[in-house]
Amino acid sequence: MTVVYEDNHIIVVNKDSGEIVQGDKTGDTPLSDIVKAYIKEKHNKPGNVFLGVVHRLDRPVAGLVVFAKTSKALSRLCDMFRTSDIHKTYWAITKDAPPHPEGRLEQWIVRNEKQNKSYVYNREAPNSKKAILDYKVIGHSDNYTLIEVHLLTGRHHQIRCQLAAMGCPIKGDLKYGAKRSNPDGSISLMSRHIEFVHPVSKENISLSAPLPDNSLWTAFL
C-alpha cells in the first residue's frame, strides 16, 4: 500500500494486487485495517479511527482506492460514486486486440453469487443490470495489447467479463478465459487514474497510480 493523496477528509491509496479492500471469509487483513493503522500512527490518534469504505477493487486488481476519513466525506463520496461523478480510468493488458481500436460496450450483466462470476448478455435478461464502458487501445508490445477503459457503470467484474465477451480476456484472469495465470496471482488490470471534485473543499482532484513494478507493464512505457 502506498498513500497517493491525503487530507482531513479523504485518503487515496495505491492497492497492491492480492490485497482485499474489506474483510472477507479468508480472514486476511484488509486494506481498510492497514489504512486505519497508518492514520492512527501518523496522526497519533487515540481510540478508534474512522474510515469509510467508498468503493472496492477485486482482490487480484491493483490501483487507486478512495477512503473517507470523515462521515461527511463518506456520504458525499458514496453519492458521487452512485451518480458517476467520480471518473475512473482503468488499464488492462490483453493477449488479443479488440476488433476495433476504440468503442463502447453496452450490454447486460447477470451476477452469479455462488460462482462469484458475472455473465454478459446482449439483451436484457432476468436479474440483469445494464453495463456500459468505453475502451481504447493505447499500446502494443510484441505479444500484448494495452487497453484503456472508462467505466460508465460499476457492475460486478464488469471490465473483466465485458472485455472477455469481446474476445479479449485480461492476462492472468483464468475466471474469464485467460489461458494461464500470472506468476504472482494478479490479473493485468489496474485502476490507473481517478478524477473528481473534492466532496468538501470542492477543488479538482486528479490522481494517477504508478504502474506495477514488472517488465510487462513497464514495456508499455
Side-chain angles (χ1 to χ4, degrees):
M1 179 206 85
T2 306
V3 176
V4 177
Y5 176 89
E6 183 183 6
D7 62 25
N8 290 335
H9 292 279
I10 65 174
I11 182 169
V12 182
V13 303
N14 184 44
K15 174 179 115 55
D16 295 325
S17 63
E19 290 183 312
I20 50 172
V21 174
Q22 272 187 305
D24 65 7
K25 60 188 178 187
T26 64
D28 294 341
T29 302
L31 185 61
S32 55
D33 282 1
I34 295 169
V35 175
K36 277 184 185 179
Y38 161 85
I39 293 170
K40 187 178 180 68
E41 183 178 351
K42 179 183 177 183
H43 301 290
N44 199 22
K45 283 184 174 286
N48 292 328
V49 170
F50 178 88
L51 189 77
V53 176
V54 180
H55 67 119
R56 296 162 188 81
L57 287 182
D58 296 342
R59 184 167 196 156
V61 178
L64 299 177
V65 182
V66 181
F67 293 99
K69 292 172 65 178
T70 63
S71 56
K72 179 194 286 188
L74 177 61
S75 62
R76 292 181 184 179
L77 284 168
C78 287
D79 286 343
M80 290 165 70
F81 268 99
R82 250 193 312 273
T83 54
S84 300
D85 288 325
I86 293 181
H87 306 289
K88 293 185 289 179
T89 302
Y90 290 80
W91 280 10
I93 296 174
T94 65
K95 175 71 174 170
D96 300 305
H100 306 288
E102 60 184 293
R104 171 168 289 189
L105 301 180
E106 197 162 333
Q107 295 156 315
W108 283 262
I109 286 178
V110 175
R111 178 179 182 177
N112 185 313
E113 299 257 4
K114 284 185 179 176
Q115 295 178 325
N116 189 31
K117 188 173 179 179
S118 290
Y119 293 86
V120 174
Y121 294 85
N122 289 323
R123 55 178 62 87
E124 196 168 1
N127 302 314
S128 65
K129 292 183 176 178
K130 191 79 172 280
I132 308 170
L133 64 77
D134 291 332
Y135 73 87
K136 182 179 182 179
V137 173
I138 58 170
H140 292 280
S141 69
D142 291 343
N143 297 306
Y144 298 103
T145 300
L146 180 62
I147 300 174
E148 185 169 271
V149 175
H150 294 276
L151 277 181
L152 282 81
T153 54
R155 308 303 181 203
H156 177 256
H157 291 181
Q158 181 179 339
I159 297 173
R160 299 167 65 180
C161 65
Q162 281 193 285
L163 290 189
M166 184 171 60
C168 303
I170 293 167
K171 185 179 181 300
D173 197 358
L174 298 178
K175 180 168 283 197
Y176 289 100
K179 290 187 169 60
R180 60 181 65 86
S181 59
N182 288 342
D184 61 358
S186 70
I187 65 173
S188 298
L189 174 66
M190 69 173 299
S191 173
R192 171 67 167 160
H193 187 77
I194 195 161
E195 200 165 325
F196 57 96
V197 175
H198 193 287
V200 181
S201 71
K202 302 306 179 187
E203 67 177 307
N204 286 318
I205 305 292
S206 180
L207 304 167
S208 293
L211 292 182
D213 185 20
N214 67 55
S215 57
L216 181 64
W217 284 102
T218 53
F220 287 104
L221 290 178

